[in-house]
Amino acid sequence: MKIQRILVALDASPHSLAALDTAVDLAERLDAELQGLFVEDINLLRLAQLPFARELRFPHSTTHKVDAPQMEEQLRGQAAQAQRLFRREAERRNITHSFTVVRGVVAASLLKAALESDLLVLGRASHSLVRTERLGSTAQTAVSQAERSVLLVHPQADLSRPPLLIYDGSTAAERALSMAANLVQRNGRLYILLYLADADAAQAAIDTIETQLAPRNIEAVYRRLYGIQLQELIDFINDSENSLLILSDRYEQFSPVVIRQLAEKLTCPVLVVR
């Protein structure tokens, strides 16, 4: 499952900057084209047209009247800043790149743009005045509706450690394994969590995986874990301190609710393969 085009969604939040760092690293490692996207939020522009619209300036708790021209100027400034940072990082790594600014509903615009890529990278949250474990609305939409693979990143992301793959022996798991093999450098290491009911099925899966990883000389470390509660799974993954979790949203044992809980509660980035 070769990744040729990576799309990164940008705004001015710390999560967005972490997404850019991760996307640049992946594009360099995979020799992929990097596409940047900034969406001028049409809902903010509509809000600014209302006569009672006010801007709250944190942390001073003061409000200021905001109008459409001011909002237009702010969005243009944010887009220009994002583009400068994007180009600087891409050119520093000599990565083929492009940057687009569109106006529209953020989530819908992002989903549409992602159709032209192989992987969508975005922060797990955008601007927020409070610290929260909840996914941002755009991240929620991407996880549940995007037709391409989605990587959710947070500011503490560190891809220098080996990733962790959940594998259940399904066709979806084979796609996730293919993605994982492309992300791990030759002679690297991959941790695999075998979500299989019995030892015989686990051994058969190991034989299949080893056949696929052998040409890249990737070392696999296995652990079978099945039938545990969701919180136990979350605790296990968080304690493992892997660089990211790789899984598919098409595993029969993992409902959309479980995928969302993993994305919200894990301390590592989450890659949902499609």
Side-chain angles (χ1 to χ4, degrees):
M1 189 173 179
K2 184 172 177 57
I3 300 172
Q4 296 178 312
R5 290 177 298 276
I6 298 173
L7 174 67
V8 57
L10 297 172
D11 53 32
S13 68
H15 287 263
S16 171
L17 299 179
L20 175 59
D21 288 342
T22 298
V24 168
D25 286 344
L26 289 177
E28 182 181 40
R29 183 188 307 179
L30 302 174
D31 193 24
E33 177 186 351
L34 185 61
Q35 303 167 325
L37 178 69
F38 183 94
V39 181
E40 294 180 345
D41 190 349
I42 196 170
N43 288 330
L44 287 179
L45 292 169
R46 289 169 177 165
L47 180 63
Q49 293 173 353
L50 300 176
F52 52 80
R54 295 290 187 274
E55 179 184 37
L56 174 63
R57 296 187 177 176
F58 185 80
H60 306 293
S61 299
T62 58
T63 61
H64 298 266
K65 189 178 186 304
V66 61
D67 56 26
Q70 288 176 322
M71 185 60 68
E72 291 256 13
E73 183 178 357
Q74 287 185 24
L75 290 175
R76 282 197 299 268
Q78 291 177 9
Q81 180 182 12
Q83 185 173 17
R84 285 193 299 270
L85 181 60
F86 173 85
R87 285 182 171 172
R88 184 188 73 190
E89 294 302 310
E91 290 174 358
R92 185 168 64 88
R93 307 281 191 95
N94 198 29
I95 296 169
T96 301
H97 62 278
S98 61
F99 189 90
T100 305
V101 179
V102 300
R103 178 170 296 182
V105 178
V106 175
S109 299
L110 189 58
L111 294 180
K112 181 179 179 180
L115 293 173
E116 304 300 322
S117 68
D118 302 306
L119 175 65
L120 168 62
V121 181
L122 71 162
R124 67 186 306 277
S126 56
H127 290 292
S128 177
L129 298 183
V130 295
R131 297 182 65 182
T132 176
E133 291 185 333
R134 296 183 63 83
L135 291 179
S137 58
T138 302
Q140 291 181 29
T141 301
V143 167
S144 62
Q145 298 182 30
E147 297 183 29
R148 299 293 185 264
S149 298
V150 176
L151 173 58
L152 298 182
V153 184
H154 55 71
Q156 288 75 42
D158 179 7
L159 298 188
S160 64
R161 300 188 300 271
L164 173 67
L165 167 70
I166 294 181
Y167 185 93
D168 70 349
S170 65
T171 300
E174 291 300 321
R175 287 181 59 81
L177 174 62
S178 177
M179 176 73 83
N182 277 312
L183 293 179
V184 176
Q185 295 179 323
R186 184 175 292 275
N187 301 318
R189 176 177 293 181
L190 174 65
Y191 287 86
I192 300 178
L193 183 59
L194 298 170
Y195 203 81
L196 293 161
D198 59 73
D200 289 340
Q203 186 57 56
I206 290 173
D207 294 340
T208 298
I209 294 169
E210 290 292 329
T211 299
Q212 296 189 43
L213 297 184
R216 296 179 59 87
N217 198 27
I218 295 174
E219 177 188 1
V221 179
Y222 300 93
R223 170 76 179 269
R224 185 164 68 89
L225 197 63
Y226 185 81
I228 63 173
Q229 297 297 315
L230 176 59
Q231 188 56 54
E232 293 178 275
L233 178 61
I234 291 171
D235 292 341
F236 173 84
I237 297 172
N238 282 339
D239 290 343
S240 69
E241 297 185 347
N242 290 99
S243 62
L244 76 156
L245 172 70
I246 304 171
L247 79 166
S248 171
D249 66 343
R250 290 170 171 77
Y251 296 162
E252 291 184 2
Q253 300 95 331
F254 294 90
S255 68
V257 173
V258 170
I259 298 296
R260 176 173 169 176
Q261 286 294 309
L262 289 172
E264 287 186 349
K265 303 296 185 182
L266 292 178
T267 56
C268 65
V270 176
L271 171 56
V272 182
V273 178
R274 295 191 168 99

